Structures are given as C-alpha cells and as structure tokens.
C-alpha cells in the first residue's frame, strides 16, 4: 500500500504548531512565504525544532525571483545546506537552473553531495524548466527523493495532466508531490486523476494585526500587500486535508 504524505509549508513557529496539530507528516520550513518562500533564519528552525518532533525539510532559497544564481548566491545556498545538515534537519528543498531553462546539473550535484544523508526535494524551480520530463530524468540521475510541482501551471488542478504523466514516468523512483492551491477538495480530485500520493500546502488564513495605532500612509514592504495582515497556517485546513488523504489511502487499500 502506498504511503500518503501531507507536507505543510510554514514560515513561523505558530504555523508549525498549527500544522503539526492538524496532522501534517512533515514541515517545509521557510521564511517570507508571502513571496514564495526564502531560506529561514536559524533561530526559527531551532524554535520549531523545540516545539515539534515533526520532520523538517528546510527551503534553501536566498532571494525572491528566478532560480538562476550568481556565484555568490550559490555559495550562500551551499553554506545553508551544510548548516541545516549540521543542525539535524531531515531534508532540504533546493533548485538551480541554467539560462536555457534546464537544470543546472553541476550545481545540483554539488548540493546533493552537500546534503549527505538528508532527503533532497527539487522545489518549484522544476515548474520553470523548459522540459519537465528531461528534468525528471535528471532528478532520477541525481537520486533526488522528491519533486514539488504544480504541473507547470498556476495551480496543481490545472497541471494535473502533467502531474499524472510524471507519476507514471517516475514509477516510484522519485516522489511527485503536488503543490499549488492544495486543500482537502483538491486532494480528493487529484488522487484519482493523477495517482499522486504526496501533497504540499500552506493552509493559510489571514489574521488581523494586533496593532491599535496604524500609520496607513506608510508602507514598510511590498506595495499592495497589507501592512496589518498576518498569514498563518490554520490547523483546521490541515486537518481537513489529512482526512482527505486518509480517505484516499483507505480507497487505495
């Protein structure tokens, strides 16, 4: 029987607790989830580790934007992988591309070696690759454990045809984890449509800031993003997704 995995993407200690109590199998820990996620601070990792014994896979991404990195940026990525290996993370989530849209195999090989015994996930740099099946074969060659993908579409339901093809082509050698717009209803659709058994979600809700005094005319961040809105994982959304996965597991059995 296949193992069904629910991964929660979190960027705060509060969200990590919510995800764990909701039934997530593992956490993808990052910073700045609102811009797609960046490498988290060491202090955040250490606090989350204190709060939960759930597996932690750490996103290693030095900045917002594309996945074509300078030599300095790659050095930072490599050092971050080494740091989280030393700190005891169970996995890292990485991805580097070449200008032509193919995987940067030289750098990916170096990161896989630096990860040592940690699990390695190829993150959604995969969704920006020119040829997803070529990238799948490259991931196999590197012995990468997981590919996180929305099927190269805005969300995984739109990309379900490619995800189904990747699941078939991988034949279990690489775990194809569906992400992008995942919730309980999406999981119920995706299991029979794709055969994917791993899902990645944030389960976020928007909470109002506790600030009583507000300076509305000043923006300290990205224009258009609310200064006084906090994104947090909701355990009830994770729990609903967990139940959907468990139902799929029973059907599969």
């Amino acid at each position: 029987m296949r193992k069904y995995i629910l991964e929660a993407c979190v960027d705060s200690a509060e969200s990590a607790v919510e995800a764990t109590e909701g039934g997530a199998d593992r956490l993808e820990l990052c910073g700045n989830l609102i811009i797609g996620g960046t490498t988290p601070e060491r202090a955040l990792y250490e606090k989350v580790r204190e709060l939960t014994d759930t597996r932690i896979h750490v996103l290693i991404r030095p900045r917002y934007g594309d996945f074509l990195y300078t030599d300095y940026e790659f050095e930072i990525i490599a050092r971050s992988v080494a740091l989280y290996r030393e700190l005891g993370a169970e996995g890292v989530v990485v991805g580097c591309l070449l200008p032509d849209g193919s995987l940067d195999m030289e750098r990916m090989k170096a990161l896989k070696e630096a990860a040592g015994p940690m699990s390695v996930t190829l993150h959604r740099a995969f969704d920006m690759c020119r040829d997803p099946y070529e990238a799948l074969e490259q991931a196999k060659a590197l012995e990468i454990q997981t590919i996180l993908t929305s099927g190269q579409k805005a969300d995984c339901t739109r990309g379900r045809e490619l995800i189904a093809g990747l699941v078939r082509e991988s034949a279990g050698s690489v775990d194809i984890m569906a992400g992008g717009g995942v919730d309980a209803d999406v999981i119920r659709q995706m299991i029979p449509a794709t055969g994917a058994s791993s899902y990645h979600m944030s389960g976020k809700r928007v909470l109002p800031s506790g600030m009583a005094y507000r300076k509305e005319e000043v923006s300290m961040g990205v224009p258009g993003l609310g200064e006084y809105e906090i994104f947090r994982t909701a355990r009830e959304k994770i729990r609903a997704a967990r139940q959907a996965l468990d139902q799929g597991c029973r059907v599969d059995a």
Side-chain angles (χ1 to χ4, degrees), residues 58-79:
V58 181
L59 175 66
I60 308 298
R61 186 183 180 210
R63 58 164 171 77
Y64 168 79
D66 64 31
F67 305 103
L68 178 63
Y69 295 114
T70 67
D71 290 342
Y72 291 152
E73 287 172 333
F74 181 70
E75 183 179 349
I76 292 167
I77 291 170
R79 288 185 182 187

Side-chain angles (χ1 to χ4, degrees), residues 55-111:
R55 287 179 62 90
I56 300 175
H57 289 191
V58 181
L59 175 66
I60 308 298
R61 186 183 180 210
R63 58 164 171 77
Y64 168 79
D66 64 31
F67 305 103
L68 178 63
Y69 295 114
T70 67
D71 290 342
Y72 291 152
E73 287 172 333
F74 181 70
E75 183 179 349
I76 292 167
I77 291 170
R79 288 185 182 187
S80 295
V81 170
L83 170 64
Y84 283 108
R85 176 180 176 178
E86 180 182 341
L87 291 175
E90 285 82 6
V92 287
V93 184
V94 296
C96 302
L97 300 182
L98 293 171
D100 66 359
S102 61
L103 275 185
D104 187 332
M105 288 293 284
E106 182 178 346
R107 285 179 167 179
M108 290 297 295
K109 182 179 179 180
L111 295 178

Side-chain angles (χ1 to χ4, degrees), residues 26-27 45 71 93 104 117 126 128 130-131 138-139 163 182-183 187 199 201 219 243 245:
R26 68 174 179 242
L27 306 175
Y45 170 84
D71 290 342
V93 184
D104 187 332
F126 177 87
M128 307 304 287
R130 66 181 183 190
D131 185 336
Q138 290 173 321
I163 292 172
V182 170
D183 61 16
I187 288 172
Y199 294 85
M201 66 181 293
S219 175
Q243 291 170 350
L245 270 183

Side-chain angles (χ1 to χ4, degrees), residues 12-63:
S12 68
E14 292 84 357
S15 288
V17 170
E18 289 284 309
T20 298
E21 294 186 356
D25 295 293
R26 68 174 179 242
L27 306 175
E28 183 197 81
L29 185 64
C30 65
N32 303 304
L33 186 53
I34 198 168
I35 56 171
T38 56
T39 307
E41 295 181 8
R42 173 176 178 165
L44 174 59
Y45 170 84
E46 291 175 338
K47 186 60 183 177
V48 170
R49 184 59 88 191
E50 289 175 11
L51 293 169
T52 175
D53 59 3
T54 303
R55 287 179 62 90
I56 300 175
H57 289 191
V58 181
L59 175 66
I60 308 298
R61 186 183 180 210
R63 58 164 171 77

